Amino acid sequence: MQITGQTKIVGIIGDPIKHSRSPQIHNAAIAALGLDYVYVPFHVPSDNLGAAIEGFKAIDVVGINVTIPHKQSVIPYLDEISREATLIGAVNTLIFREGAIIGENTDAPGFLQAMAEDDLDVPQGGSAVVIGAGGSARAIVVALALAGVRTICITNRTVSKAVALAADLSDKTDASIYGIGLDDSKLPNAIGTSQLIVNTASTSMDVSHPLLIDPAWLAPLSIVYDIVYTPPETRLLQAAAEKECHVIGGLGMLVHQGAIAFEKWTGVNPPLEIMRQALQGAFDQK
Ligand SMILES: NC(=O)c1ccc[n+]([C@@H]2O[C@H](COP(=O)([O-])OP(=O)(O)OC[C@H]3O[C@@H](n4cnc5c(N)ncnc54)[C@H](OP(=O)(O)O)[C@@H]3O)[C@@H](O)[C@H]2O)c1
């Protein structure tokens, strides 16, 4: 990589930022395509967010990914925000264009593109269950509602969060969305009759944690999607595979959400396989 006065800058802001694997993924794609870009991680504490955004404008940065804790607090600095990002209430990608800053959220389309890559269909007009009611669950419920899923059950340990998320997104989309607890007697039937079950609860990261749902409830041939990517094949996915469900892990979503941002900044479709290998390499280094 040769940096010159013409090299275009993209990057990521967060606090902390040291752990981010995005620089490896994006710089691998930049190198493979021979583009004159560099992707730089910037450590930006909350108090400096406004100054950092102004600085990026001043030095003609092309695009910035946004991670914790700035995904919501960056919104007041933006000139435009996509419908998806507005519904999700969080932005993970900034595009600097002709003096304006546009905010998008690529988690939702990344989630859907990873399914499409595996030839798995979103159940348009059908039903889905989303386990968890945190930040990523919100993005996924928005993705599913905008993609035409008719009924979405959100189930969560803290019932009030599932109910609040369902009420908010029911009002703002055409989907019929309801929230219940993990111990609700309606959950086995909701899972058994849904074409798509998505886990967003972080308990999947802990291989010793008991499963949040009983795999016996899963219907064969339904799709079980666990967005957790460490480990790449979670215990839920192993149990679902034994029930002859179609299974998909979170690595594809992670790669696709990055690839969508890359394409928006450079106008070039990045090589997904190179990004995937770079991500794997970054995991192996940890
Ligand atoms: N593949 C990707 O690209 C991608 C993108 C985003 C996130 N992720 C992964 O998705 C996971 C969730 O991320 P997030 O941002 O949504 O996190 P979050 O906002 O902190 O939400 C965490 C969720 O997990 C639930 N949970 C945590 N501990 C639990 C327990 N002991 N029992 C039952 N439920 C529990 C929480 O329930 P309560 O509300 O009851 O606390 C909440 O619903 C993380 O592992 C993250 O790495 C993957």
Side-chain angles (χ1 to χ4, degrees):
M1 179 183 294
Q2 203 176 9
I3 294 178
T4 69
Q6 295 191 324
T7 304
K8 296 192 175 75
I9 300 169
V10 289
I12 181 164
I13 54 171
D15 181 17
I17 200 63
K18 270 196 297 202
H19 67 286
S20 174
R21 299 170 181 105
S22 296
Q24 283 105 312
I25 305 171
H26 283 269
N27 285 321
I30 288 168
L33 292 166
L35 298 179
D36 195 4
Y37 280 77
V38 61
Y39 186 104
V40 187
F42 296 103
H43 176 220
V44 177
S46 292
D47 285 350
N48 294 346
L49 180 60
I53 301 288
E54 278 307 309
F56 291 141
K57 266 174 103 167
I59 60 170
D60 234 359
V61 160
V62 172
I64 288 288
N65 279 140
V66 181
T67 188
I68 290 167
H70 306 311
K71 284 183 175 191
Q72 282 102 25
S73 49
V74 76
I75 290 175
Y77 299 100
L78 308 180
D79 299 295
E80 238 177 84
I81 169 164
S82 69
R83 172 154 189 243
E84 270 166 347
T86 305
L87 285 172
I88 296 166
V91 160
N92 73 348
T93 300
L94 307 182
I95 301 153
F96 294 77
R97 192 179 290 150
E98 293 164 9
I101 312 175
I102 302 153
E104 306 218 358
N105 190 308
T106 64
D107 279 338
F111 168 83
L112 297 175
Q113 283 193 9
M115 278 184 82
E117 191 188 15
D118 280 8
D119 287 328
L120 298 170
D121 293 328
V122 172
Q124 288 178 339
S127 60
V129 174
V130 175
I131 304 166
S136 58
R138 190 171 174 99
I140 283 156
V141 174
V142 167
L144 295 177
L146 296 187
V149 176
R150 198 162 49 127
T151 309
I152 304 170
C153 167
I154 303 171
T155 180
N156 194 43
R157 173 180 63 175
T158 310
V159 191
S160 57
K161 286 194 199 167
V163 171
L165 180 57
D168 185 32
L169 292 179
S170 270
D171 281 351
K172 294 174 180 161
T173 68
D174 293 335
S176 160
I177 310 172
Y178 64 100
I180 58 177
L182 288 164
D183 54 358
D184 194 293
S185 61
K186 291 191 286 298
L187 187 57
N189 185 54
I191 287 180
T193 56
S194 288
Q195 295 84 10
L196 173 64
I197 319 300
V198 185
N199 177 65
T200 72
S202 44
T203 47
S204 270
M205 295 171 76
D206 177 0
V207 289
S208 64
H209 199 283
L211 293 180
L212 297 183
I213 61 160
D214 184 344
W217 302 338
L218 295 166
L221 302 183
S222 57
I223 301 168
V224 179
Y225 193 156
D226 197 334
I227 70 155
V228 168
Y229 47 81
T230 45
E233 198 193 21
T234 63
R235 279 187 57 209
L236 173 65
L237 294 187
Q238 287 169 356
E242 280 170 24
K243 285 281 295 181
E244 293 177 27
C245 300
H246 301 288
V247 297
I248 169 168
L251 277 173
M253 175 179 169
L254 192 60
V255 169
H256 277 279
Q257 60 84 20
I260 294 165
F262 188 101
E263 197 275 331
K264 285 179 187 290
W265 297 328
T266 64
V268 182
N269 274 321
L272 291 174
E273 209 35 55
I274 300 270
M275 292 180 107
R276 225 183 295 271
Q277 284 167 15
L279 181 60
Q280 196 54 56
F283 280 132
D284 293 345
Q285 276 172 22
K286 301 269 158 177

